[in-house]
Amino acid sequence: MKVAWVFPGQGSQKIGMAKQIENLPNTKERFSFASEIFDRNLFEICQLNSDSTNPLKDLNNTINTQICLFLVESILLDALKENGYKPTFVAGHSLGEITALYCADVFPFEDCVSLIKVRSELMVNAGKGSMAALIGFDRNQLDLLVNQSDDVVIANDNSSSQVVLSGSSEALNKLSKEISCKRFLKLNVSGAFHSPFMHDPSVKFAEYLKQIEFKNPSFPVISNYKPSFCSDPNELKIRLENQMCNGVRWRETMDLMAKDSDLHIVEIGPSNVLSGLGKRHLKDVKISQVSSSDQITY
């Protein structure tokens, strides 16, 4: 049986998620290291209720969300490795792709922290466009409407029944009135992530990645930009460079993982977002969740 370790991105954060792993090896050390780099108490931020009046301490602020999720995911995956577990291949959703690359030993923990600081700051300062989640729709109608618009793209193709759109507020409002769907929910984000609206931040991020050494992965990585098995460090860097202004192709990622043989998906992180997508989209697939120090097994 193939074992896929998958790592979620923004939207999977939970208040108290650091408390769930505080007794694991490296938790205190890693949170302290990252807190110094980010100049804030990240463990405390994971414990606080959302506070939009003080974004520096708000877990839902992109700058805090991305690093806190990575810390939790990296600590959990390393605990699994120390217990003798390892995947056949890995994949991550948006931010989770960085965790997947770390899991595959492409770059060390310290590089990840610095990389996520740059990435999150670029994204939170993008300042253009918006995003909306779309649930229960006709795919053909959606593709037609998106193709007719210059200012809307599919940012996250999560499954056959759930996508996230990015674009201008005006174009998203227009599409919401034209599409037949169960739910159309505008998201509280600072920009149109995974779309051409992120071109300028993406260029700056690609420039930063030039100084990061990508090593040969310990096992294949499936990237958001191009969902195929990859073990070439240079290609993995190109794919990560292109991720910020292109869509997350998670539906294709799940199809690739499940192709040809039995599959066990293990979601490593504080929530069950990717597990839910897998259960709804795939048939006859085993799915497990690792989210706390009480559950370092599957």
Side-chain angles (χ1 to χ4, degrees):
M1 176 176 280
K2 296 180 297 186
V3 178
W5 286 8
V6 299
F7 305 97
Q10 284 184 247
S12 294
Q13 67 272 16
K14 283 186 174 181
I15 301 298
M17 64 184 184
K19 197 76 174 174
Q20 296 286 96
I21 60 164
E22 66 176 338
N23 60 340
L24 288 177
N26 302 324
T27 296
K28 184 176 180 180
E29 177 186 352
R30 289 193 178 181
F31 267 92
S32 296
F33 176 85
S35 293
E36 187 171 333
I37 298 296
F38 278 73
D39 193 27
R40 63 195 70 184
N41 188 331
L42 295 171
F43 192 92
E44 180 183 78
I45 287 169
C46 285
Q47 308 312 115
L48 297 174
N49 288 322
S50 177
D51 183 3
S52 58
T53 63
N54 187 358
L56 291 179
K57 292 190 175 182
D58 186 359
L59 179 60
N60 293 322
N61 179 350
T62 293
I63 289 179
N64 296 328
T65 308
Q66 294 191 10
I67 185 59
C68 288
L69 276 173
F70 168 73
L71 289 170
V72 171
E73 292 170 10
S74 67
I75 292 164
L76 285 168
L77 76 86
D78 281 335
L80 281 170
K81 285 183 175 181
E82 288 167 9
N83 283 4
Y85 293 92
K86 67 177 182 178
T88 311
F89 47 80
V90 293
H93 191 288
S94 191
L95 166 79
E97 184 173 326
I98 295 173
T99 313
L101 291 167
Y102 166 75
C103 181
D105 304 306
V106 173
F107 36 55
F109 171 80
E110 293 78 8
D111 282 357
C112 287
V113 173
S114 299
L115 189 155
I116 290 169
K117 186 172 190 292
V118 171
R119 182 183 189 268
S120 60
E121 288 176 348
L122 286 170
M123 291 178 72
V124 82
N125 292 321
K128 291 182 179 179
S130 186
M131 301 180 77
L134 186 62
I135 300 171
F137 53 88
D138 179 86
R139 185 76 194 206
N140 291 329
Q141 184 192 24
L142 174 64
D143 289 341
L144 180 63
L145 291 172
V146 168
N147 290 335
Q148 289 174 347
S149 175
D150 293 330
D151 289 332
V152 175
V153 299
I154 296 175
N156 300 342
D157 188 356
N158 288 331
S159 72
S160 54
S161 60
Q162 202 252 55
V163 301
V164 175
L165 305 175
S166 276
S168 68
S169 294
E170 297 78 12
L172 287 173
N173 289 336
K174 182 174 183 292
L175 192 146
S176 71
K177 297 171 184 176
E178 297 172 336
I179 188 87
S180 298
C181 63
K182 290 183 180 178
R183 291 189 69 191
F184 190 99
L185 178 65
K186 293 288 285 289
L187 303 181
N188 182 23
V189 293
S190 58
F193 303 154
H194 298 293
S195 80
F197 282 79
M198 299 298 293
H199 175 264
D200 291 345
S202 180
V203 169
K204 293 176 182 176
F205 186 58
E207 191 65 28
Y208 174 81
L209 284 179
K210 289 180 180 178
Q211 61 186 283
I212 303 292
E213 180 188 0
F214 279 49
K215 297 179 180 177
N216 290 315
S218 302
F219 20 78
V221 180
I222 307 173
S223 301
N224 295 171
Y225 172 67
K226 189 176 182 181
S228 62
F229 297 112
C230 183
S231 297
D232 180 342
N234 295 320
E235 176 64 19
L236 288 171
K237 178 179 282 194
I238 292 170
R239 293 183 181 190
L240 189 60
E241 288 173 355
N242 283 300
Q243 189 217 62
M244 194 180 289
C245 62
N246 288 279
V248 176
R249 297 162 63 182
W250 196 254
R251 177 171 57 100
E252 294 171 74
T253 296
M254 290 190 291
D255 289 339
L256 175 67
M257 292 191 298
K259 187 178 181 182
D260 297 332
S261 64
D262 291 341
L263 174 66
H264 183 184
I265 294 176
V266 181
E267 180 176 7
I268 301 171
S271 189
N272 60 354
V273 173
L274 300 183
S275 300
L277 291 174
K279 287 175 183 177
R280 289 188 292 272
H281 185 72
L282 300 172
K283 295 180 180 179
D284 302 320
V285 170
K286 183 179 180 182
I287 297 177
S288 300
Q289 174 75 25
V290 177
S291 58
S292 72
S293 58
D294 298 331
Q295 192 184 10
I296 306 302
T297 184
Y298 58 80

